[in-house]
Amino acid sequence: MKWLVVFSVFVVGCANDAPPTVPGSGTPVPPAMGSGGTGGFGGVGGFGGEGGVGGGAIGACDNERDLDALEAADGSPRDIARDCGRTFNCANAIGITGQYGECVSDCVEENIEGLSMECSACYGDLERCGLESFCRPQCQVNTCSTLCLDCLDLAGCIEEFEDCRGLPGDGCPDTTP
């Protein structure tokens, strides 16, 4: 009998709850959406992808593993990416949608021990953006020169690079974020 009383108090107490609302709107959820308790709100989406542009993950380099790999790199990661873009394989991919950036990304990952594919993609995307924005001549001698950085910044490449890496700044060792 004691359990029946507790159960009835629970049921009566729950019966007075306000109906569920659509998150962020205060609008009541239609009955079909609120019943059953098996669904939710959300979906699938993202940026980039196979053959896409800007496919690097947001904040891809902002983790201990990648930060350590970038710090231990034999040379500037920006220079490594530039040099990768000059290789025969990557130079042959210029003008083929998505392939140049992917080639540079793969090369950067191979040349910086311990660097994740996601982080190396940020460097490949920066090289691709610089190429598409006609910044390549300004960046060929010195990837951290004022001419190079101004061109990349004006083209939006630096902002894209910062977002991808999840780190502030242009990736140059002598500049402050």
Side-chain angles (χ1 to χ4, degrees):
M1 182 68 172
K2 180 179 172 183
W3 288 106
L4 182 59
V5 172
V6 171
F7 179 74
S8 63
V9 169
F10 177 76
V11 171
V12 171
C14 291
N16 293 329
D17 289 344
T21 59
V22 175
S25 71
T27 306
V29 175
M33 290 179 70
S35 62
T38 59
F41 296 93
V44 183
F47 297 98
E50 186 73 28
V53 174
I58 301 295
C61 302
D62 188 16
N63 61 74
E64 188 175 344
R65 175 185 168 204
D66 286 319
L67 291 171
D68 288 346
L70 291 169
E71 183 71 28
D74 188 22
S76 162
R78 292 277 314 276
D79 288 343
I80 292 169
R82 178 206 54 213
D83 293 345
C84 284
R86 292 176 175 171
T87 64
F88 180 75
N89 288 340
C90 292
N92 280 337
I94 291 175
I96 303 171
T97 305
Q99 287 189 9
Y100 177 76
E102 289 175 21
C103 182
V104 172
S105 297
D106 291 345
C107 179
V108 168
E109 184 182 9
E110 290 171 11
N111 283 281
I112 300 179
E113 186 176 333
L115 193 66
S116 70
M117 177 180 58
E118 293 82 11
C119 183
S120 67
C122 299
Y123 288 87
D125 286 345
L126 179 62
E127 285 297 307
R128 175 209 37 83
C129 185
L131 178 69
E132 291 173 356
S133 302
F134 304 103
C135 296
R136 191 170 186 178
Q138 295 90 320
C139 298
Q140 283 302 292
V141 174
N142 181 353
T143 59
C144 293
S145 71
T146 302
L147 284 173
C148 176
L149 295 175
D150 286 348
C151 184
L152 292 172
D153 191 41
L154 184 62
C157 301
I158 297 295
E159 182 178 350
E160 180 182 310
F161 183 60
E162 287 178 321
D163 289 345
C164 182
R165 289 186 334 140
L167 302 169
D170 50 33
C172 292
D174 298 329
T175 59
T176 56

